[in-house]
Structures are given as C-alpha cells and as structure tokens.
C-alpha cells in the first residue's frame, strides 16, 4: 500500500505531538512536520522531515511536496493572541491563507483533492452576557458567531476561507465545479486536556493547569471564578476525532464545520474532583478580569449532533471516564515516577 503524505503544522504543540503519535500508530502515512521549534524527542523518530521556522516565510518549501492531507494545527491561542494581536493575526490567518492557497493550487493542478483539516475552537462563539450563556446551554454551529477575541475572529475567518476555497474558489457553478477542489474539514474543539503535556497561551488552560498542579502537590490559583463553565475534552478524544474526520468519504459530509463535545464542567467542579483525587490539593480562585471575560464569552457547551449524524462522532470519555480511566491513572504514573 502506498503511504499517504501528510503535513502536520504546529507539530510541537499539544495537539500536534499527540496527533503525530496517533498517525504513526495507525500507520500508512509519511509524516512531514513543521513548527517554530525543533521536534521533541517523543516524535522525532516518526517525522520523516521537519521544517523548522515561521510557516509564512517557509511556505515555498511545501510547494515541492505532494501532500494528500494537511493538518494545519499551528496557532497562537486566545490569551496570547490578546497580548500580541498582530502577531496572532499573522500566525493564525496569514499562515492558514498561505497553506489553503497551496492546497487549492495542488488540488486543481494535479487533479487530486488535498484534504485540509483545520482545528477551530469554541472561541468562535461570543455570548453577549452570562444570562444568555446560561440560557443558551448547548450552542449549534451557526449560533452566536460573534467572537470577542482576536483568536476567535481568526478561527472564524479561517473557517470561512477554507469553505470558500473548497466550494466557491473560481466562482464555478455547482455543475461545472472541478471534482478536485480542496477538501476543507474543520472541527471546533472545546478546551483540551492532556495527561502528558500542558497548553500555553490559551484561556481554557485553567482546567489542565489546575489538575497538573494538584497531581504534583503544587498550589494553584485559578484565574476564573468557580462558577465558570465551558466544555472540555480528553486529548485522546480530540485525536480520535481528527483521525475519524479525515477518513470519512466526502459525500457523507454535509458540512465543512463541526462542533464536537465531551463534557462541560465548572471550575469549581474541577477543583472538587482534583481535591478528591489528590487530598490536600491547594486550589484557590483569583479571577483575572480579562481572562474571565474571554471564558464568559464562550458557551457552556456545544451541540455536536451534526458530527454525530454525519460521521458517527462519539467521545470515549465523559467527565467520569476522563478522570477515572484516562487522566488520573496516567498522571499518577507520570508524577510518581
Ligand atoms: C484556548 O483557550 O485558546 C484554546 C481554545 C479553547 O481554543 N484552548
């Protein structure tokens, strides 16, 4: 069987490392990676080539490759993007635009649809106030698309760009559209939690930070209120979703953008579960108004019925399974070593 050539940008990030490991485990891929940083040891051996540097300036390198699939994970996350917004725009939008152009060009020229998998985020939503957030509960893809952050604006715009390149590029009428348009597929992720890595620069980071601190016996001061609620997901489920979506035949997909959910908890519920698992955990709350405002603008939970209907999405880990079967066993092994 010939190997599929796959590019993973942002390979050194949290999702990147886990995805590269997942692709290698699944087999059948020649994995090319890209990131600002050198590859960490855990994925060094499975990447056949690594392009280190800024994607925007490196894009020419990638025109020489015959990619079947691009997982474009490189991004500046929500809290970081608020402090250097122009930089975030360059990384999140210009980098994506360059890669979309490359994928669209190759799809048309070589008569082969390049699959472009784009992780979007619950940051694309903008709940106007806490009352609306509470009343809305699980939001659908097309609701409240009024992001309050640079990162959310960037993600929403890139969803639109990807949709444009896969449906309307060239302004061909539906029946004269070439069969080999770029194949753009996007998942809106909730906050992700890994037992092996910690996120940097996000605003859902209080979840993983609190749990890792408690597991190590370190005090943690949480930057949002106890009643703050958003949806979260175990990293293995996030990787499962990417690997599932990439394999679905295009005709089964009725949409370009899909919500996926797993469990929604308040920061106080995280604290309670962390305290039960690690008696003596020292968790306090000292909300940071700017970061609090960001999380308050994100919905409590998402409606992922489109993903369930079109490609059979179902998470393996609800809140109990996340703690009991994934996070706690792994984290205990990790910090007790
Ligand atoms: C962030 O906090 O910026 C990310 C996200 C929810 O997309 N984790």
């Amino acid at each position: 069987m010939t190997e599929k050539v796959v590019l993973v940008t942002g390979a050194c990030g949290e999702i990147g490392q886990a995805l590269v490991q997942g692709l290698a485990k699944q087999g059948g891929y020649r994995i090319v990676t890209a990131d600002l940083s050198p590859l960490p040891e855990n994925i060094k051996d499975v990447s056949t080539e690594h392009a280190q540097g800024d994607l925007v300036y490196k894009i020419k390198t990638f025109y020489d490759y015959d990619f079947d699939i691009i997982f474009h994970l490189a991004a500046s996350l929500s809290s970081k993007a608020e402090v250097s917004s122009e930089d975030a725009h360059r990384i999140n939008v210009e980098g994506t635009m360059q890669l979309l152009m490359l994928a669209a060009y190759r799809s048309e020229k070589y008569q082969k649809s390049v699959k472009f998998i784009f992780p979007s985020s619950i940051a694309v939503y903008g709940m106007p106030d806490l009352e609306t957030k509470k009343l809305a509960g699980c939001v659908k893809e097309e609701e409240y698309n009024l992001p309050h952050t640079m990162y959310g604006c960037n993600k929403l715009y890139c969803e639109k760009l990807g949709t444009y390149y896969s449906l309307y590029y060239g302004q061909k009428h539906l029946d004269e559209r070439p069969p080999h348009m770029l194949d753009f597929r996007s998942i809106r992720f909730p906050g992700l939690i890994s037992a092996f890595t910690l996120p940097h620069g996000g605003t859902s980071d209080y979840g993983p930070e609190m749990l890792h601190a408690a597991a190590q016996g370190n005090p943690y001061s949480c930057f949002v209120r106890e009643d703050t609620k958003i949806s979260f997901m175990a990293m293995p489920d996030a990787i499962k979703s990417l690997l599932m979506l990439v394999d679905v035949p295009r005709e089964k997909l009725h949409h370009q953008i899909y919500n996926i959910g797993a469990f929604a908890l308040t920061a106080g519920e995280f604290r309670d579960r962390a305290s039960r698992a690690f008696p003596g955990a020292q968790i306090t709350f000292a909300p940071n108004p700017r970061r609090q405002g960001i999380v308050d603008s994100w919905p409590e939970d998402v409606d992922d019925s489109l993903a369930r209907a079109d490609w059979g999405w179902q998470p393996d880990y609800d809140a109990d399974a996340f703690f009991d079967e994934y996070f706690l066993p792994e984290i205990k092994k990790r910090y007790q070593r």
Side-chain angles (χ1 to χ4, degrees):
M1 197 181 77
T2 51
E3 286 185 318
K4 290 195 178 115
V5 186
V6 49
L7 171 65
V8 181
T9 73
C12 302
E14 274 209 294
I15 310 182
Q17 291 184 41
L19 176 66
V20 169
Q21 286 169 333
L23 288 166
K25 194 165 162 216
Q26 191 162 299
Y29 296 106
R30 186 176 142 222
I31 307 168
V32 179
T33 50
D35 202 287
L36 279 175
S37 308
L39 285 178
E41 285 303 323
N42 60 349
I43 54 170
K44 223 176 200 156
D45 294 343
V46 290
S47 162
T48 50
E49 274 160 86
H50 181 59
Q52 194 187 330
D54 192 321
L55 190 64
V56 175
Y57 306 116
K58 280 245 156 212
I59 199 73
K60 282 208 182 94
T61 326
F62 299 124
Y63 274 82
D64 295 336
Y65 291 86
D66 186 14
F67 293 122
D68 298 286
I69 305 165
I70 296 175
F71 288 95
H72 178 40
L73 312 179
S76 171
L77 298 185
S78 55
S79 284
K80 189 165 177 217
E82 287 308 296
V83 285
S84 33
S85 46
E86 284 169 25
D87 227 30
H89 189 275
R90 191 176 52 76
I91 296 166
N92 295 345
V93 177
E94 287 173 45
T96 306
M97 173 72 184
Q98 298 277 349
L99 268 186
L100 282 169
M101 280 163 55
L102 174 147
Y105 165 81
R106 292 205 69 97
S107 299
E108 225 179 303
K109 176 148 189 208
Y110 298 103
Q111 300 288 292
K112 184 177 92 175
S113 287
V114 175
K115 285 183 188 164
F116 196 107
I117 313 296
F118 182 68
S120 188
S121 160
I122 51 168
V124 302
Y125 295 107
M127 310 309 292
D129 50 58
L130 283 175
E131 205 193 333
T132 314
K133 169 168 168 157
K134 207 165 180 46
L135 282 173
C138 290
V139 299
K140 292 187 192 306
E141 281 81 352
E142 71 282 4
E143 294 177 315
Y144 302 103
N145 284 188
L146 294 162
H148 293 200
T149 60
M150 174 53 106
Y151 171 72
C153 293
N154 296 163
K155 286 289 184 190
L156 187 60
Y157 176 55
C158 288
E159 288 180 359
K160 307 275 182 217
L161 277 180
T163 304
Y164 161 77
Y165 274 108
S166 74
L167 294 184
Y168 310 116
Y169 182 52
Q171 295 305 327
K172 301 253 186 354
H173 197 263
L174 200 58
D175 49 14
E176 47 165 13
R177 220 172 262 162
H180 301 292
M181 303 278 275
L182 149 78
D183 182 354
F184 181 79
R185 306 172 178 203
S186 178
I187 291 176
R188 285 187 185 161
F189 282 117
L192 301 179
I193 309 182
S194 164
F196 303 97
T197 50
L198 270 162
H200 295 286
T203 319
S204 60
D205 296 8
Y206 63 88
E209 282 175 3
M210 185 190 295
L211 298 181
H212 280 254
Q216 292 171 87
N218 294 335
Y220 184 69
S221 169
C222 181
F223 58 79
V224 295
R225 293 183 316 268
E226 273 187 72
D227 67 342
T228 307
K229 187 172 180 185
I230 56 167
S231 60
F232 284 93
M233 177 176 285
M235 187 59 82
D237 268 338
I239 303 310
K240 171 176 129 165
S241 72
L242 291 168
L243 296 177
M244 273 179 90
L245 183 61
V246 80
D247 277 344
V248 187
R250 180 73 246 179
E251 59 278 10
K252 293 221 156 120
L253 299 176
H254 299 100
H255 307 272
Q256 255 74 28
I257 320 294
Y258 292 94
N259 278 342
I260 59 167
F263 56 90
L265 290 179
T266 65
E269 287 166 332
F270 266 102
R271 186 262 330 272
D272 295 345
R273 284 178 181 263
S275 304
R276 274 204 298 278
F278 305 103
Q282 299 162 60
I283 299 163
T284 50
F285 291 85
N288 168 312
R290 287 171 55 237
R291 297 184 96 185
Q292 181 70 60
I294 293 175
V295 190
D296 285 344
S297 76
W298 295 348
E300 283 197 345
D301 207 350
V302 294
D303 177 335
D304 59 6
S305 46
L306 296 182
R308 287 176 188 255
D310 277 11
W311 44 282
W313 163 250
Q314 212 182 344
D316 288 335
Y317 300 97
D318 61 10
D320 287 339
F322 165 77
F323 280 96
D324 299 341
E325 292 164 28
Y326 169 65
F327 191 79
L328 297 177
E330 292 296 349
I331 208 83
K332 282 181 180 158
K333 272 191 259 165
R334 176 170 173 191
Y335 292 128
Q336 278 164 14
R337 254 200 308 243

